[in-house]
Amino acid sequence: MRPPTRAPENRTDRRRAKTRQALIDAARTLIADGRAATASIADITATADVGFGTFYNHFDDKKSLFDAAIDQILEALGDHLDTVADRTADPADAFATSFRHAGRLAIAHRQTAEIIDSYGFVLMESPTGLGPRAHRDLSAAVDAERLQIDNVDLATAITGGHLLALVHAWLADPTSVTEADVDASVETLLRSFGMPAAAARRLAHRTLEPLG
């Protein structure tokens, strides 16, 4: 778990932090709206409601801003999921629970879903977020003989594909994907990774504790 971010110490620092966050929030909005590739610095600062000249006080260029926006989203998701592995000694359970929470978070927040849909496997390959945690838990489950996987890298990519499919379908029609579909998806994953059907169903549909 990352240490809490230190609060700015004075008024100038607080103002600077507020402006930087406004720019990141604007980038998240532009990404979700599909305008990241064409947005100018003027578009970004207008969306953030800050002065044009302030942009370069915080970021070197558009790429550094959009990278910061994506990192913030992934770090938030990662911080949520970091609590899961600590609650169980079963890595297969940790994998299933993390996927179920990630799916629920994605289909509950449209902006996050839009960004996941736009960036796809780039997000799964990021050092933060679901990808490395899924790889960690799948590897541990293989070592514990809870799952039978020949290629954990491929299994991680397949996991990402399931999440992306759920998000894409939900964005097209929010009534088409429910939490039950998220659970059914992880049940399918567990079975495809060698877990017996009854055990997979049990893990995929047991009562889900809220993330703390």
Side-chain angles (χ1 to χ4, degrees):
M1 182 72 73
R2 296 177 185 82
T5 302
R6 187 175 181 180
E9 294 180 355
N10 56 51
R11 183 178 299 175
T12 300
D13 289 343
R14 289 194 295 271
R15 185 183 301 115
R16 182 178 176 81
K18 183 177 180 180
T19 300
R20 186 178 191 278
Q21 187 59 50
L23 289 166
I24 290 175
D25 290 343
R28 292 174 61 160
T29 297
L30 292 166
I31 292 169
D33 291 346
R35 294 186 286 148
T38 59
S40 65
I41 300 299
D43 293 330
I44 294 168
T45 53
T47 302
D49 194 25
V50 301
F52 179 89
T54 65
F55 180 90
Y56 292 102
N57 293 331
H58 300 274
F59 299 98
D60 293 333
D61 50 29
K62 281 173 48 178
K63 183 180 183 303
S64 62
L65 168 63
F66 287 113
D67 285 349
I70 295 300
D71 285 346
Q72 190 176 87
I73 292 164
L74 293 177
E75 285 175 6
L77 177 59
D79 285 342
H80 279 297
L81 299 183
D82 274 339
T83 65
V84 173
D86 294 334
R87 295 180 178 182
T88 176
D90 179 6
D93 182 18
F95 167 77
T97 302
S98 291
F99 186 95
R100 294 173 72 196
H101 277 300
R104 281 160 168 76
L105 288 169
I107 66 173
H109 301 91
R110 188 169 187 88
Q111 186 188 68
T112 300
E114 293 278 8
I115 291 171
I116 291 173
D117 190 54
S118 296
Y119 280 78
F121 279 98
V122 172
L123 299 186
M124 289 298 296
E125 294 167 358
S126 168
T128 56
L130 178 62
R133 288 164 176 83
H135 192 283
R136 174 199 64 201
D137 294 336
L138 289 172
S139 296
V142 171
D143 291 342
E145 299 184 349
R146 291 283 285 138
L147 299 176
Q148 299 171 14
I149 301 171
D150 293 327
N151 187 329
V152 175
D153 290 339
L154 179 58
T156 302
I158 291 169
T159 300
H162 273 247
L163 179 63
L164 293 174
L166 289 165
V167 167
H168 189 77
W170 181 80
L171 286 170
D173 177 8
T175 66
S176 69
V177 177
T178 66
E179 293 181 355
D181 294 308
V182 175
D183 296 342
S185 186
V186 80
E187 180 181 353
T188 299
L189 285 169
L190 290 170
R191 292 180 65 177
S192 70
F193 296 155
M195 180 172 285
R201 181 162 187 79
R202 214 164 32 244
L203 276 189
H205 299 279
R206 71 177 183 81
T207 300
L208 193 63
E209 296 181 8
L211 290 173

